Every structure is written in structure tokens, then in C-alpha cells.
Amino acid sequence: MYEERAARLDGAVVWTRTGTPGDRSDPYPVLPDGCMDLLWTGGRLLVAGPDTRAHIPRGPSTRYCAGVRFAPGTAPALLGVPARELRDLRVETADLWSPAEVGRLTARLAAAPDPAAVLEDVALGLAAGAGPPDPLPRAVVGALDAGRTVAATADAVGLSPRQLHRRALDAFGYGPKTLARVLRLQRALALVRRGVPYAEAALGAGCADQAHLAREVRELAGLTLGGYAALAKRETSQPSGSRTTA
């Protein structure tokens, strides 16, 4: 069962997933969403980098997992590492932070009745130490999510297309063209989860037609439209994003 709520950190989401004993179904794939997560799973504290393709979690589907999903483009400033260095990776926090700090956090999480709340506190602490947030990621996401071209988005944020590409790699892990595809995919899948017919979901998300959406789902999610819809129905509580495990 997947559950999520808005975090006290602006734009972030706190989520948990708890499997049902005896559940032998395949793990729910983690689909590209432009985000990065701080994860507690299997007794490990990890950072999930930005995905460019579906990630299939390891471990039993019954395992408890919790995480904080940061708003797109905001995690690198909090975690202290450019997003492009973590693209398509799940990285031990001990590789990013001091072993002593990670040891304390791991012990705290292992003893906590609600690890998700601990992760939220950690995220808030990281944000407090990082200073004012950079407004660029939100502006870029807003422009691309509204359907602006990369050139128009660069103009809107006062950068050249080349400068935007370089800044996007650090903030999101990939360039603005890929980010625009990922955001469009997520818009379409949100409509599919709501039961909107595929052709309408494609047009509503900004795809040329249903065939275009089907190609994007295959390339970015590794699924057919029908396969994704079936997986989404399996979740008791439908996620607004896509990450559920490590």
C-alpha cells in the first residue's frame, strides 16, 4: 500500500509503501519524474538520483520503504551533489556525507516508529542549512510544464539555451528537452490514473496523439499504456508521483 502527504518542506512529498504479507506481485516500477528522493529501505539510507528510464526496485515487494521526494531541481542544493552525478543511480548516503553522521541517522531511523517523519526532519534540516532556495528550478519546471519550448523557457528565465542546458544538468540531472518529456509523461500518467481515455490523456498532456503517448511510455517507462494502467490500479492509494521504493 502506497501513501503520501505534503511535506513541511515546500514542494516536497513524504511517502511510505508497505507490502502485504504473501504478496508475490512484481515490484511497482519507479518512473522518471524529474525528482530526487531521500530513502529508507531495507535498513539502508539512500539517495535516489533522477531517472531517465524505469527503475525496478530490488528486494521483496513486502518490504517497508519510506522517503522524501524533493521538488524537481531542489535536491542538489540540499544534498551537496549535482544531479547529473546521480543520474539513474541509487547511492548510499555514506558516499555523500560523513560516516559518523550517516551512522547516527541510520540508528535513529532504525529505532523510529515512524521513519518517514525522521526523513522529513532530516530534509528540513538540510534545507535550513542550505540558505534561500534557487528560484531557477521552479521557473524552468513551470515554463516547460506549461508547454513552452526550450528556447522560450531559456528566454523566460534570462539564460541562453546553452546556459539553460548546463544549469539543468546540475539541477535536474538531464537537459531541458528530456525534462520536458518527463514532465509531459507525468501529466499524461496522472490523467490515465484518473481514468481518462488514452487518446484524451495524450492530447491533454501535450502529445500529438495516442500513438505518440504510447511511444513515450514505452521509451521512458518501459511499459505499454495498458500495462501502466493495470499497475496503477494495483496500488490501493494512487501516487501523484512515481517513486515508491529504492
Side-chain angles (χ1 to χ4, degrees), residues 13-240:
V13 171
V14 178
W15 58 263
T16 60
R17 190 177 195 280
T18 306
T20 302
D23 182 8
R24 296 180 179 275
S25 57
D26 292 333
Y28 195 98
V30 179
L31 306 186
D33 57 8
C35 300
M36 293 171 59
D37 291 53
L38 185 63
L39 302 169
W40 174 249
T41 178
R44 301 164 67 203
L45 183 60
L46 308 172
V47 171
D51 292 314
T52 60
R53 56 185 182 273
H55 172 80
I56 306 301
R58 296 190 295 267
S61 59
T62 56
R63 186 173 62 186
Y64 171 86
C65 304
V68 172
R69 185 169 66 242
F70 297 98
T74 62
L78 307 184
L79 301 174
V81 60
R84 58 180 163 183
E85 294 186 13
L86 303 181
R87 185 171 53 232
D88 293 318
L89 297 176
R90 303 299 185 265
V91 178
E92 298 279 355
T93 49
D95 293 335
L96 306 176
W97 303 335
S98 73
E101 180 181 10
V102 173
R104 287 193 298 269
L105 287 175
T106 299
R108 183 181 170 193
L109 284 159
D114 184 4
V118 175
L119 291 175
E120 183 178 21
D121 287 343
V122 172
L124 287 166
L126 292 171
D134 183 354
L136 180 67
R138 176 173 288 186
V140 170
V141 169
L144 293 176
D145 215 17
R148 290 195 184 188
T149 64
V150 171
T153 297
D155 286 341
V157 299
L159 298 174
S160 70
R162 179 171 294 184
Q163 289 172 323
L164 175 60
H165 184 82
R166 183 170 63 250
R167 296 284 295 274
L169 287 176
D170 285 342
F172 305 104
Y174 28 70
K177 287 185 178 179
T178 298
L179 177 61
R181 289 181 68 196
V182 167
L183 294 172
R184 184 176 59 197
L185 173 73
Q186 285 295 327
R187 293 196 301 271
L189 295 184
L191 293 171
V192 170
R193 290 195 299 272
R194 285 165 43 193
V196 175
Y198 299 153
E200 293 181 26
L203 295 177
C207 293
D209 50 29
Q210 181 176 329
H212 181 197
L213 173 59
R215 289 194 299 272
E216 291 291 272
V217 174
R218 282 197 302 271
E219 291 180 14
L220 294 173
L223 297 165
T224 64
L225 274 168
Y228 174 78
L231 280 174
K233 288 179 181 178
R234 198 181 79 198
E235 296 290 274
T236 302
S237 176
Q238 300 301 338
S240 64

